[in-house]
Amino acid sequence: AQSVTQLGSHVSVSEGALVLLRCNYSSSVPPYLFWYVQYPNQGLQLLLKYTSAATLVKGINGFEAEFKKSETSFHLTKPSAHMSDAAEYFCAVSGSSGGSYIPTFGRGTSLIVHP
Amino acid sequence: DVKVTQSSRYLVKRTGEKVFLECVQDMDHENMFWYRQDPGLGLRLIYFSYDVKMKEKGDIPEGYSVSREKKERFSLILESASTNQTSMYLCASSLWAGRNTEAFFGQGTRLTVV
């Protein structure tokens, strides 16, 4: 079964600082990995996804993630945090169940951005 | 744009009531999902459906049932609401096409059972 682990339930950064949100995966097959963002009182929306075409994936709002097979990681980064980046971030892996593909999520990391 | 619409943003129900949460998507997606979101626990899958009238249990199906009579609509039913079902409920949909397809989410329904 595929799963993801997000390290750190909360990450706090200053505006303008580097954002690093950590995600490690466990998968017996090549994984398909996703990062989603959830702004307060909203549903989740896709930031980016890894589908084996390239190890460095660029997403929306200046975020990117790098797939590292040797480290089983898919960490999310942004060079310079904005106040508007404050949100909950979820890493997810696409797992299979009887022929269907089910997104399985990590526990989430809350990003706090200080002025 | 794909749109997933949940019928209510906020609901307050009494213990023992039968509760219906409705979800409609407008992009002809085969897969639909119901997740429950609790602080520190992330999103946990309750049920999913890959076709009309088809349903599969997720990780936490106890106390819930679902209905999918039409492709665009997926309903979550709490047969007898209890206070431990107070939570945020998220509906999502996706194409069946493959592992690289992302899920599209509704705005969520925050349910309080008193």
Side-chain angles (χ1 to χ4, degrees), chain A residues 62-109:
Chain A
F63 284 92
E64 62 183 34
E66 186 172 8
F67 175 75
K68 292 187 177 180
K69 185 177 179 180
S70 60
E71 299 177 8
T72 62
S73 69
F74 190 57
H75 301 331
L76 183 71
T77 60
K78 182 174 180 178
S80 177
H82 293 170
M83 296 295 291
S84 60
D85 294 327
E88 189 88 13
Y89 292 80
F90 292 93
C91 183
V93 63
S94 183
S96 63
S97 176
S100 294
Y101 296 109
I102 313 298
T104 300
F105 292 85
R107 295 193 171 199
T109 298

Side-chain angles (χ1 to χ4, degrees), chain B residues 34-80:
Chain B
W34 276 106
Y35 290 90
R36 172 176 170 161
Q37 182 180 11
D38 298 289
L41 298 179
L43 276 70
R44 293 179 291 167
L45 183 66
I46 304 172
Y47 270 96
F48 73 95
S49 169
Y50 54 89
D51 201 352
V52 175
K53 296 189 186 296
M54 306 305 290
K55 59 186 179 184
E56 295 287 342
K57 292 180 180 179
D59 300 317
I60 53 165
E62 295 78 19
Y64 304 94
S65 62
V66 291
S67 172
R68 195 170 181 196
E69 296 297 317
K70 294 185 177 182
K71 189 175 185 180
E72 67 270 19
R73 187 179 297 270
F74 192 36
S75 302
L76 180 70
I77 303 155
L78 286 65
E79 297 291 343
S80 177

Side-chain angles (χ1 to χ4, degrees), chain A residues 2 27 29-32 34 36 38 41-46 49 51 88 90 93-97 99-108, chain B residues 9-10 31 33 35 37-38 40-43 45 48 50 56-57 59 88 90 94 96-108 110:
Chain A
Q2 290 82 24
S27 178
V29 298
Y32 285 80
F34 306 80
Y36 290 82
Q38 183 182 32
N41 296 317
Q42 295 188 24
L44 280 69
Q45 63 184 85
L46 183 71
K49 63 181 179 181
T51 58
E88 189 88 13
F90 292 93
V93 63
S94 183
S96 63
S97 176
S100 294
Y101 296 109
I102 313 298
T104 300
F105 292 85
R107 295 193 171 199
Chain B
R9 293 294 304 274
Y10 301 93
N31 294 335
F33 311 89
Y35 290 90
Q37 182 180 11
D38 298 289
L41 298 179
L43 276 70
L45 183 66
F48 73 95
Y50 54 89
E56 295 287 342
K57 292 180 180 179
D59 300 317
M88 170 72 93
L90 292 166
S94 72
W96 184 84
R99 293 176 63 203
N100 64 342
T101 55
E102 66 265 33
F104 295 84
F105 282 82
Q107 296 280 74
R110 188 167 294 281

